[in-house]
Amino acid sequence: TGIEAADGAARLTLDGRHAGTPPVAHGGLILSLAEAALSSLGAGAVTSLQAQRVAPARRGETLVAQATLVRTTRTLAFAAVEVRADDRLIARANAVLAPG
């Protein structure tokens, strides 16, 4: 897919492969970007991911997902993710991770 991820962030520049109908970024792609950011935190495997799309993203835009650990316990980690295109919020997500 062209996703680059490290240190809690994931990046992708959208092209024609990433669009659905209408021609905006597919929701599954946005979730994949969020999950790549979460995985790069190194806190464990994503066991639950809930997301809300806020705005469309279009071809040519670069999406950046930034994941942040909110809380960790002995058995779980809780995280939040924001996906942005420049200064526009595209999506928000909350996740639960389990150490692997």
Side-chain angles (χ1 to χ4, degrees), residues 6-11 30 33-38 40-41 63-69 79-84 89 91-93:
D7 301 322
R11 169 184 301 275
I30 293 170
L33 187 66
E35 189 165 0
L38 288 161
S40 75
L41 287 171
L63 298 183
V64 177
Q66 182 64 55
T68 306
L69 281 175
V81 183
E82 284 193 349
V83 180
R84 294 186 172 274
L89 182 64
R92 289 185 182 159

Side-chain angles (χ1 to χ4, degrees), residues 22-70:
V24 297
H26 189 278
L29 177 72
I30 293 170
L31 283 176
S32 292
L33 187 66
E35 189 165 0
L38 288 161
S39 295
S40 75
L41 287 171
V46 176
T47 61
S48 174
L49 180 60
Q50 297 177 348
Q52 300 82 40
R53 290 177 70 171
V54 177
R58 293 182 169 74
R59 177 187 283 171
E61 291 185 304
T62 297
L63 298 183
V64 177
Q66 182 64 55
T68 306
L69 281 175
V70 175

